[in-house]
Amino acid sequence: MNIGILTYAGGLNYGAQAQLYAMTNYLKEKGHNITVLMFKPKYYFVKNIKIALRVEPNWQRHPKHIMQSIKRMKAFNNWIKNIPNQIEVKDGKEVDGLDLDLVIAGSDEILNCKHPFYDDIYIGKDIDKTALIYYAPSTGALSVDYVLSDEQIMWFQKFKNYSARDVVTKKFIENNEHQEVTVVLDPTFLWEFNEITCKTKLGEKSIVLYSFDSIADYADEIIDYANKHEYEIVSLAREYRWANINLPAATEQEWITCFRNCEVVITDSYHGLVFALKNKKKVVLISREDKLNKNNGLLEFLGIQMSYYKKGSIDRYLHTETLDYSIINENIKKRKIESEKYLSEALENI
């Protein structure tokens, strides 16, 4: 089957690129021909730069940090440039002109109508001739009570199958479309990434820091924990003076490899949590408001009871929040079977 994937394919974000890579390779392994639909919304380039540079009102950043962000952008662009079978599309009509059998919309926050990259193409606008299904889209921090317009609902109804990455997104779709929605795993759980490896600076024992917000407020606790257990502190995508190793411009390959080789992950990120769980790591999970729907949804879906780290002893937190990977892996295996079944049946019905 000739399948197009419609997601935030050009996003300068480790998780966004990992889920696209996983979805593409999973479907290729099943024998499908894949085209990555490189849709770029209005002001895409400017928005991407603002996100990558973390530009905020009245922002002030050290020139060194700006250069690191630019270097990270270049690393992402090199990765994106090498995505096979990608084609740029300007709207849904151009998607229809590609003679695809199916477009899979997802994963990522493509249903977050307030996301900088959102466009109505992600709910089917102007895609009139090509079959559409959703796989693991997310609404991110969007309220479950957000109501689509009548015109948007008309486009939304074009989809033949609906799935969601979390319960909040499931409820959003059901509230707007009144269709049965299946909760499925993020595509990164469908692929093992064993073929991606590279040399890193990580020692035998290391803690990986990966967060959207600065975690400098926890520096004393992290340093105390690292010193006590003789860990190196490795920071991804940010630089901290107190980290032993800083990789502010890590490549996608380095990012994936660091999660595989470390022992402890400290994160506020959804895909930081995903890759920590995939690689059976100790996790210190920090709360971030716009990630709560996604992180809580993942924990609930996998049957994990876990609180967020606030302050205090990391040893005490990890003792309280011990993860039983024998149970977690069984739950992941079960959810993976369910997710693959949804996808397989959706493809068969096209």
Side-chain angles (χ1 to χ4, degrees):
M1 186 179 291
N2 294 319
I3 299 174
I5 298 179
L6 182 62
T7 185
Y8 294 150
L12 306 183
N13 176 284
Y14 296 104
Q17 292 305 320
Q19 63 86 14
L20 173 59
Y21 179 89
M23 189 83 265
T24 299
N25 282 279
Y26 175 82
L27 291 169
K28 282 183 178 179
E29 190 176 64
K30 299 298 181 183
H32 301 289
N33 299 315
I34 305 303
T35 300
V36 175
L37 304 175
M38 195 64 70
F39 172 75
K40 298 178 180 178
K42 193 174 183 180
Y43 306 123
Y44 161 82
F45 183 71
V46 173
K47 290 176 180 178
N48 232 350
I49 289 178
K50 282 186 175 181
I51 292 172
L53 295 180
R54 300 189 180 100
V55 176
E56 299 173 357
N58 302 317
W59 73 306
Q60 290 184 339
R61 293 189 65 193
H62 193 283
K64 177 183 176 182
H65 296 160
I66 295 174
M67 293 305 298
Q68 289 170 346
S69 294
I70 292 172
K71 187 177 179 181
R72 186 168 63 251
M73 287 170 59
K74 288 182 177 179
F76 274 123
N77 285 327
N78 286 335
W79 171 272
I80 292 168
K81 184 172 61 178
N82 291 316
I83 295 173
N85 300 325
Q86 59 174 286
I87 184 167
E88 189 168 330
V89 292
K90 296 178 181 178
D91 53 34
K93 293 177 182 178
E94 290 196 354
V95 173
D96 276 341
L98 298 176
D99 293 326
L100 298 169
D101 299 310
L102 171 70
V103 167
I104 298 177
S107 177
D108 218 334
E109 292 186 28
I110 61 168
L111 291 182
N112 183 351
C113 300
K114 296 184 179 181
H115 193 283
F117 290 160
Y118 175 79
D119 186 273
D120 282 338
I121 193 173
Y122 295 110
I123 55 174
K125 181 181 179 182
D126 292 331
I127 304 177
D128 299 320
K129 300 177 182 178
T130 311
L132 293 160
I133 69 168
Y134 278 117
Y135 185 82
S138 172
T139 51
L142 190 72
S143 170
V144 68
D145 298 319
Y146 186 92
V147 179
L148 296 175
S149 69
D150 290 342
E151 187 175 35
Q152 287 176 315
I153 290 175
M154 180 182 67
W155 296 325
F156 209 29
Q157 291 172 341
K158 297 176 184 179
F159 284 78
K160 294 182 178 295
N161 292 89
Y162 298 83
S163 67
R165 201 171 65 179
D166 53 74
V167 174
V168 172
T169 305
K170 170 184 167 71
K171 290 179 180 177
F172 165 82
I173 296 174
E174 290 174 343
N175 288 347
N176 281 281
E177 176 47 20
H178 309 294
Q179 291 281 351
E180 182 178 349
V181 178
T182 303
V183 178
V184 294
L185 286 173
D186 185 81
T188 50
F189 282 106
L190 304 182
W191 193 255
E192 293 305 318
F193 297 89
N194 292 329
E195 70 286 356
I196 292 185
T197 186
C198 66
K199 291 183 179 180
T200 67
K201 298 178 181 179
L202 270 69
E204 292 184 2
K205 294 184 65 177
S206 58
I207 301 169
V208 158
L209 313 180
Y210 177 64
S211 65
F212 283 84
D213 278 341
S214 171
I215 54 177
D217 288 346
Y218 308 103
D220 289 342
E221 290 85 351
I222 294 171
I223 292 169
D224 286 346
Y225 176 74
N227 288 340
K228 180 178 178 181
H229 297 279
E230 299 182 337
Y231 283 124
E232 284 187 323
I233 302 171
V234 181
S235 178
L236 296 175
R238 282 183 177 272
E239 182 168 318
Y240 298 106
R241 295 177 185 175
W242 41 272
N244 301 104
I245 299 172
N246 284 290
L247 298 172
T251 64
E252 188 78 15
Q253 294 92 329
E254 287 176 323
W255 187 84
I256 291 169
T257 304
C258 283
F259 276 96
R260 183 184 296 132
N261 293 344
C262 71
E263 290 192 15
V264 183
V265 173
I266 300 178
T267 189
D268 63 7
S269 154
Y270 174 81
H271 279 107
L273 176 59
V274 167
F275 274 81
L277 295 175
K278 277 175 63 69
N279 290 287
K280 307 177 185 64
K281 306 303 178 183
K282 297 177 183 178
V283 183
V284 178
L285 186 58
I286 296 172
S287 174
R288 176 179 156 111
E289 187 65 30
D290 66 339
K291 307 297 179 187
L292 291 179
N293 285 349
K294 298 192 292 185
N295 289 342
N296 290 343
L298 176 61
L299 294 174
E300 179 182 348
F301 193 46
L302 295 180
I304 301 172
Q305 293 185 340
M306 185 179 188
S307 63
Y308 289 90
Y309 174 75
K310 295 177 181 178
K311 271 281 191 177
S313 166
I314 291 178
D315 268 313
R316 189 179 304 117
Y317 171 84
L318 289 174
H319 178 74
T320 304
E321 306 299 332
T322 300
L323 298 175
D324 187 338
Y325 276 106
S326 63
I327 296 175
I328 292 171
N329 289 340
E330 282 301 311
N331 289 342
I332 291 175
K333 182 179 178 180
K334 175 185 174 183
R335 295 304 190 186
K336 183 178 178 182
I337 291 171
E338 295 170 355
S339 301
E340 290 183 312
K341 180 182 178 183
Y342 162 82
L343 192 52
S344 175
E345 291 179 351
L347 295 180
E348 288 175 2
N349 291 332
I350 298 303

PDB file of all heavy atoms in Angstrom, residues 34 67 70 93 149 197 241 273 339:
ATOM      1  N   ILE A  34       6.239   4.170   1.739  1.00  0.00           N
ATOM      2  CA  ILE A  34       5.958   5.315   2.603  1.00  0.00           C
ATOM      3  C   ILE A  34       6.433   6.617   1.966  1.00  0.00           C
ATOM      4  O   ILE A  34       7.552   6.714   1.462  1.00  0.00           O
ATOM      5  CB  ILE A  34       6.640   5.145   3.976  1.00  0.00           C
ATOM      6  CG1 ILE A  34       6.229   3.818   4.610  1.00  0.00           C
ATOM      7  CG2 ILE A  34       6.295   6.317   4.890  1.00  0.00           C
ATOM      8  CD1 ILE A  34       4.731   3.637   4.780  1.00  0.00           C
ATOM      9  N   MET A  67      24.461  30.365  19.740  1.00  0.00           N
ATOM     10  CA  MET A  67      25.253  29.580  18.793  1.00  0.00           C
ATOM     11  C   MET A  67      25.016  28.087  18.984  1.00  0.00           C
ATOM     12  O   MET A  67      24.961  27.320  18.014  1.00  0.00           O
ATOM     13  CB  MET A  67      26.742  29.909  18.950  1.00  0.00           C
ATOM     14  CG  MET A  67      27.117  31.323  18.534  1.00  0.00           C
ATOM     15  SD  MET A  67      26.598  31.712  16.835  1.00  0.00           S
ATOM     16  CE  MET A  67      27.551  30.507  15.900  1.00  0.00           C
ATOM     17  N   ILE A  70      21.748  27.280  17.350  1.00  0.00           N
ATOM     18  CA  ILE A  70      21.898  27.245  15.888  1.00  0.00           C
ATOM     19  C   ILE A  70      22.573  25.940  15.458  1.00  0.00           C
ATOM     20  O   ILE A  70      22.178  25.316  14.465  1.00  0.00           O
ATOM     21  CB  ILE A  70      22.703  28.468  15.407  1.00  0.00           C
ATOM     22  CG1 ILE A  70      21.878  29.748  15.616  1.00  0.00           C
ATOM     23  CG2 ILE A  70      23.103  28.317  13.942  1.00  0.00           C
ATOM     24  CD1 ILE A  70      22.645  31.025  15.346  1.00  0.00           C
ATOM     25  N   LYS A  93      -5.054  19.603  -1.202  1.00  0.00           N
ATOM     26  CA  LYS A  93      -5.235  19.311  -2.627  1.00  0.00           C
ATOM     27  C   LYS A  93      -3.977  18.687  -3.219  1.00  0.00           C
ATOM     28  O   LYS A  93      -4.060  17.785  -4.064  1.00  0.00           O
ATOM     29  CB  LYS A  93      -5.604  20.591  -3.370  1.00  0.00           C
ATOM     30  CG  LYS A  93      -6.980  21.141  -2.992  1.00  0.00           C
ATOM     31  CD  LYS A  93      -7.278  22.445  -3.707  1.00  0.00           C
ATOM     32  CE  LYS A  93      -8.640  22.999  -3.273  1.00  0.00           C
ATOM     33  NZ  LYS A  93      -8.939  24.303  -3.914  1.00  0.00           N
ATOM     34  N   SER A 149     -15.145  24.080  15.167  1.00  0.00           N
ATOM     35  CA  SER A 149     -16.231  24.740  14.441  1.00  0.00           C
ATOM     36  C   SER A 149     -16.982  23.713  13.599  1.00  0.00           C
ATOM     37  O   SER A 149     -16.502  22.596  13.369  1.00  0.00           O
ATOM     38  CB  SER A 149     -15.666  25.833  13.537  1.00  0.00           C
ATOM     39  OG  SER A 149     -14.929  25.251  12.467  1.00  0.00           O
ATOM     40  N   THR A 197      22.960   3.905  16.570  1.00  0.00           N
ATOM     41  CA  THR A 197      23.948   3.935  17.643  1.00  0.00           C
ATOM     42  C   THR A 197      25.089   4.843  17.222  1.00  0.00           C
ATOM     43  O   THR A 197      25.312   5.068  16.035  1.00  0.00           O
ATOM     44  CB  THR A 197      24.475   2.524  17.963  1.00  0.00           C
ATOM     45  OG1 THR A 197      25.331   2.590  19.110  1.00  0.00           O
ATOM     46  CG2 THR A 197      25.233   1.934  16.786  1.00  0.00           C
ATOM     47  N   ARG A 241      26.433  24.562  34.014  1.00  0.00           N
ATOM     48  CA  ARG A 241      27.827  24.620  34.465  1.00  0.00           C
ATOM     49  C   ARG A 241      28.175  23.441  35.360  1.00  0.00           C
ATOM     50  O   ARG A 241      29.331  23.000  35.407  1.00  0.00           O
ATOM     51  CB  ARG A 241      28.076  25.925  35.226  1.00  0.00           C
ATOM     52  CG  ARG A 241      27.949  27.181  34.379  1.00  0.00           C
ATOM     53  CD  ARG A 241      28.152  28.410  35.245  1.00  0.00           C
ATOM     54  NE  ARG A 241      27.918  29.639  34.501  1.00  0.00           N
ATOM     55  CZ  ARG A 241      27.926  30.847  35.037  1.00  0.00           C
ATOM     56  NH1 ARG A 241      28.174  30.988  36.333  1.00  0.00           N
ATOM     57  NH2 ARG A 241      27.691  31.911  34.295  1.00  0.00           N
ATOM     58  N   LEU A 273      10.329  10.573  28.951  1.00  0.00           N
ATOM     59  CA  LEU A 273       9.726   9.508  29.752  1.00  0.00           C
ATOM     60  C   LEU A 273       9.600   8.224  28.936  1.00  0.00           C
ATOM     61  O   LEU A 273       9.909   7.129  29.420  1.00  0.00           O
ATOM     62  CB  LEU A 273       8.356   9.962  30.256  1.00  0.00           C
ATOM     63  CG  LEU A 273       7.527   8.944  31.046  1.00  0.00           C
ATOM     64  CD1 LEU A 273       8.269   8.471  32.287  1.00  0.00           C
ATOM     65  CD2 LEU A 273       6.170   9.546  31.426  1.00  0.00           C
ATOM     66  N   SER A 339      -2.203  -1.955  19.915  1.00  0.00           N
ATOM     67  CA  SER A 339      -1.928  -0.860  18.982  1.00  0.00           C
ATOM     68  C   SER A 339      -1.701  -1.385  17.571  1.00  0.00           C
ATOM     69  O   SER A 339      -2.201  -0.821  16.585  1.00  0.00           O
ATOM     70  CB  SER A 339      -0.699  -0.069  19.454  1.00  0.00           C
ATOM     71  OG  SER A 339      -0.914   0.466  20.747  1.00  0.00           O
TER      72      SER A 339
END
